[in-house]
Amino acid sequence: MGLLIYSIVFGLGGWVFWRYMSKEPILPWSNKKSQSKKDVSKSGAPPSKNHKRSKKKNSPDDYEEVEPNLFQHFLEDMEGITDHMIRLVNNEFVLIAEAIPVNYHLLSQHEQESIDNEVERWLSKLDYPTKPYFQNRYIDLTEPIEEIKNNLNSQDDIPEAAYRYGISMMEDLAEFQARTPRYETKRYIIFNYQVPVSEIEADSDEELEERILDKAFQELYRRYNTAKSSLGKGKIGLELLTSDGIVGLLYYTFNRKKAVKHRFKDIVEREKLALYPTAVQEQRKIELVKEMIENGSHEEDEETAS
């Protein structure tokens, strides 16, 4: 009997020692969280927040999308935008055109083969640097919402049921855009050309600069027209990006999430890119500003005279 009691006591002591060394609760059915709180209270150290932060970081609800670093290496050599071209160092210029895609999978096999042949024929003629660029943007439903709103406000004979349906549709579209963002893909073709300055003759620096710009635009525009003609036979449209279009492309590149709320089109229409404010103002406001300027000038004259 004594040997049995001794064996039980020895086994319990070994169990307690093993659970303690493995940092596990002595009783299997006890809560690990309460045990860890006891260990913290004994040590006097504050609870760590790294574990909680890691859980929040991994949760899909708290995921924060990081803006892409596209064009970062490209902009390091950028000097500016002029004549619908991006100018880089060493007199290298870039022209960008947007490709209007065709719904390839809805066409017949004969039409698909025709498109493939035209694209292959254009690619076989390329003997200069040409790059494709794909940009994913959030779908902006602002214009459809504004169109529905204008239609509801411009028609006086619209039925009450149709008016309520239009209002509910605008609310659903706005909620859908905020809750479930979706993407659309923009496709671009980039043409590069470096002007051989040594082959250009000019009497002054101004004339040389003008001839460099003319030479770059003529060569890049020729390449653009060649691509437009070849791809047009395959029902693929190609539109040249102007200087504003290039700025808009860069704006969407670096502000993909902000561009939905702060649209580039609104920035241009509200003249936020203008060097001076030229928005239409009321005549009364103009007179008040002139009066404030005159009063300020009179006060400065009086202080100078005194």
Side-chain angles (χ1 to χ4, degrees):
M1 187 65 180
L3 181 61
L4 180 60
I5 295 174
Y6 177 80
S7 301
I8 294 174
V9 172
F10 183 81
L12 290 175
W15 169 264
V16 172
F17 179 79
W18 176 72
R19 300 292 286 184
Y20 179 80
M21 293 302 294
S22 60
K23 296 182 181 181
E24 295 289 336
I26 297 176
L27 300 178
W29 54 84
S30 63
N31 191 1
K32 293 183 179 181
K33 186 175 181 180
S34 61
Q35 184 69 21
S36 62
K37 288 183 178 179
K38 291 180 182 180
D39 295 339
V40 170
S41 61
K42 289 181 181 179
S43 61
S48 176
K49 297 181 180 180
N50 295 331
H51 184 65
K52 293 183 179 180
R53 289 181 179 176
S54 62
K55 286 185 177 180
K56 290 184 178 180
K57 185 176 181 180
N58 295 331
S59 61
D61 296 336
D62 298 334
Y63 175 74
E64 183 177 357
E65 184 178 3
V66 180
E67 295 291 347
N69 292 326
L70 301 177
F71 278 164
Q72 193 67 30
H73 65 286
F74 182 71
L75 293 177
E76 292 178 355
D77 301 332
M78 180 177 174
E79 292 187 355
I81 299 174
T82 177
D83 294 343
H84 314 313
M85 299 178 296
I86 299 177
R87 184 167 189 172
L88 308 178
V89 296
N90 299 326
N91 295 312
E92 184 177 359
F93 293 85
V94 178
L95 186 141
I96 304 177
E98 181 179 0
I100 310 302
V102 61
N103 201 331
Y104 184 84
H105 297 286
L106 291 182
L107 301 178
S108 62
Q109 184 176 0
H110 176 72
E111 293 173 329
Q112 291 179 357
E113 292 178 355
S114 175
I115 293 175
D116 295 338
N117 293 334
E118 295 298 336
V119 174
E120 291 174 2
R121 188 176 292 110
W122 171 65
L123 293 175
S124 63
K125 296 179 182 178
L126 293 179
D127 57 352
Y128 43 79
T130 304
K131 304 175 184 177
Y133 171 61
F134 298 90
Q135 184 182 79
N136 291 330
R137 299 183 183 180
Y138 283 104
I139 294 179
D140 187 12
L141 300 177
T142 304
E143 293 185 0
I145 293 174
E146 291 180 353
E147 183 178 358
I148 296 174
K149 184 178 180 181
N150 293 333
N151 292 333
L152 293 177
N153 295 332
S154 61
Q155 299 180 9
D156 298 333
D157 57 345
I158 188 170
E160 182 66 22
Y163 183 82
R164 291 197 303 268
Y165 176 76
I167 296 296
S168 63
M169 180 176 292
M170 288 191 299
E171 295 176 352
D172 292 341
L173 288 176
E175 184 180 358
F176 174 80
Q177 178 172 317
R179 185 182 68 251
T180 312
R182 298 181 182 274
Y183 298 93
E184 61 178 345
T185 302
K186 296 288 185 178
R187 301 160 180 85
Y188 301 93
I189 299 178
I190 301 177
F191 303 93
N192 294 71
Y193 177 66
Q194 187 172 8
V195 179
V197 183
S198 59
E199 301 178 2
I200 300 177
E201 297 180 358
D203 298 332
S204 62
D205 294 339
E206 295 181 357
E207 184 179 359
L208 178 62
E209 179 69 16
E210 183 178 355
R211 292 190 176 183
I212 289 175
L213 294 176
D214 292 341
K215 177 68 174 177
F217 186 77
Q218 289 177 4
E219 177 62 25
L220 289 175
Y221 195 72
R222 181 189 66 82
R223 299 179 181 182
Y224 158 73
N225 280 330
T226 302
K228 183 178 181 180
S229 177
S230 300
L231 296 178
K233 297 177 182 178
K235 300 180 181 180
I236 300 175
L238 202 63
E239 296 182 359
L240 177 67
L241 288 187
T242 61
S243 297
D244 293 338
I246 296 175
V247 175
L249 175 65
L250 298 177
Y251 176 79
Y252 279 100
T253 301
F254 295 106
N255 304 276
R256 186 168 62 172
K257 296 185 67 175
K258 298 178 182 178
V260 179
K261 183 177 181 181
H262 306 284
R263 300 191 307 162
F264 181 76
K265 182 179 179 181
D266 296 337
I267 294 176
V268 175
E269 291 179 353
R270 296 173 185 175
E271 299 183 352
K272 293 184 179 180
L273 300 177
L275 185 59
Y276 302 100
T278 57
V280 179
Q281 302 290 343
E282 298 179 356
Q283 187 64 27
R284 177 58 180 166
K285 188 174 183 180
I286 297 175
E287 297 296 334
L288 289 175
V289 173
K290 290 182 178 180
E291 185 178 351
M292 293 173 61
I293 295 174
E294 293 177 357
N295 293 337
S297 60
H298 289 320
E299 292 178 357
E300 290 180 357
D301 295 338
E302 292 176 358
E303 290 179 358
T304 304
S306 61

